[in-house]
Amino acid sequence: NSESSIATMYMWQHYAEVKYYAKDHILYSIYQNNKGKYFSFMPYGSSRNSTFVLDELYNLYVKLNRPLTIKLCTDDFVDFVKSCTNYNTVITPVENSFDYVDLINLSGKKYHGKKNHINSFNKNYKYEYVRYNDSMKDSCVNFCAKTLRQYYGQNSSAYDTELLSVTKTFDNINELNLKCGIICVEGKIVALSVGERLNKDYALIHIEKADYNYRTAYSVINNLFLKNEFYDTVYVNREEDMGIEGLRKAKMSYHPCHMIKKYTVEFI
């Protein structure tokens, strides 16, 4: 799942001021919403599906005198929790947080529309695909800020939150082992994508932006970024749609081969 990436954790930690701690090779988390309620994400580590790990997290909430709620849980963790008969839980699927997973190689008639976008872009623009280097950091951040203003407007908390995430990403892109591909028209950035290899079979896209004046550039950057940087993987995780109708429509247009389901687990 997309939240299993250290880059994801770092990029979005400020959104809820998440605190992390590690113990016995397991990474735990806790954060508090604006109503004062505490939550955690799934523990991470090879032995996370164990009673020791679950008891450790549960006992932390006992000390806080708060009920334990774990968010963004995947099927394997939910199955484990169900097997722990000493805990009573309410488990709720959260569709807005489901990850969209596509095949890297988009072939077949159902992708005809995407191919038309690419052909149209090829016909109308002379462009080049460029791999990111550190001299391009400011240009990339400024470009992302431009696309965020086009989407949110400048004076909004969503704009500020996402721009900070973008800035943190490019400030530490090498340390986070991320890749970035860029499309330039006449030397000007019109689209970019940032992602990473999660494992042998999966790539994960963190950022994908295109200038609204070059709408079909989304299809082009998607196609070229995957072909150039992740050609030897099988799947690409495009993260969730957050319940945003336009984003859901865009992600569904790639005809995902499966979804990574996520759940909220409340301990009662």
Side-chain angles (χ1 to χ4, degrees):
N1 62 310
S2 56
E3 293 81 20
S4 66
S5 161
I6 291 293
T8 301
M9 297 178 194
Y10 176 74
M11 290 167 62
W12 293 102
Q13 183 184 14
H14 61 278
Y15 179 70
E17 297 185 1
V18 185
K19 306 296 189 294
Y20 294 97
Y21 73 99
K23 182 177 180 181
D24 297 325
H25 305 290
I26 298 294
L27 184 67
Y28 300 89
S29 63
I30 188 168
Y31 68 98
Q32 190 176 17
N33 69 8
N34 56 12
K35 296 181 180 179
K37 187 173 181 179
Y38 286 94
F39 301 92
S40 286
F41 300 123
M42 285 189 305
Y44 282 101
S46 60
S47 60
R48 75 159 179 220
N49 293 353
S50 68
T51 54
F52 172 81
V53 171
L54 190 56
D55 290 346
E56 173 77 16
L57 190 55
Y58 185 85
N59 289 334
L60 171 62
Y61 278 74
V62 170
K63 292 177 183 178
L64 292 170
N65 195 28
R66 296 286 195 278
L68 171 60
T69 299
I70 309 177
K71 292 198 169 189
L72 303 176
C73 301
T74 50
D75 283 322
D76 68 299
F77 186 76
V78 167
D79 289 343
F80 163 69
V81 170
K82 288 178 179 178
S83 72
C84 297
T85 56
N86 53 323
Y87 288 111
N88 294 317
T89 59
V90 174
I91 299 171
T92 307
V94 185
E95 290 189 25
N96 293 350
S97 296
F98 288 8
D99 283 343
Y100 291 73
V101 179
D102 302 334
L103 292 169
I104 292 288
N105 183 19
L106 303 181
S107 59
K109 291 183 179 179
K110 60 185 177 181
Y111 299 109
H112 186 68
K114 297 297 179 187
K115 292 174 183 176
N116 283 343
H117 288 168
I118 294 169
N119 291 337
S120 173
F121 196 87
N122 290 341
K123 181 179 178 180
N124 289 304
Y125 303 106
K126 291 183 178 180
Y127 66 91
E128 60 178 337
Y129 175 84
V130 181
R131 284 192 174 99
Y132 173 86
N133 63 66
D134 289 341
S135 70
M136 305 174 74
K137 182 175 77 170
D138 290 343
S139 297
C140 289
V141 172
N142 291 337
F143 172 74
C144 289
K146 174 184 176 180
T147 63
L148 291 173
R149 285 194 298 271
Q150 290 174 332
Y151 186 76
Y152 293 116
Q154 189 161 355
N155 297 316
S156 75
S157 59
Y159 169 86
D160 293 337
T161 298
E162 191 166 347
L163 181 57
L164 178 54
S165 175
V166 166
T167 303
K168 290 167 66 177
T169 300
F170 281 100
D171 281 345
N172 299 277
I173 194 167
N174 298 316
E175 290 82 358
L176 294 170
N177 199 28
L178 301 177
K179 295 183 177 183
C180 176
I182 301 161
I183 291 177
C184 294
V185 174
E186 297 179 353
K188 180 180 70 173
I189 298 175
V190 300
L192 65 76
S193 189
V194 178
E196 67 172 308
R197 182 189 295 272
L198 280 179
N199 57 34
K200 182 173 67 71
D201 292 330
Y202 274 84
L204 170 64
I205 303 300
H206 290 289
I207 298 171
E208 191 170 80
K209 303 293 182 189
D211 188 323
Y212 272 27
N213 297 310
Y214 300 81
R215 294 284 182 123
T216 53
Y218 274 110
S219 297
V220 179
I221 187 61
N222 169 269
N223 178 261
L224 293 180
F225 188 52
L226 296 180
K227 278 185 176 180
N228 282 278
E229 314 304 335
F230 302 112
Y231 59 89
D232 56 345
T233 58
V234 181
Y235 304 104
V236 55
N237 183 324
R238 297 191 182 281
E239 299 186 330
E240 72 283 357
D241 61 40
M242 299 176 290
I244 300 170
E245 186 59 34
L247 197 54
R248 177 171 295 173
K249 184 178 178 180
K251 291 179 185 286
M252 285 300 295
S253 71
Y254 284 96
H255 305 284
C257 60
H258 65 273
M259 308 287 284
I260 297 177
K261 297 178 181 179
K262 307 198 193 141
Y263 308 81
T264 295
V265 178
E266 300 174 89
F267 289 71
I268 57 176

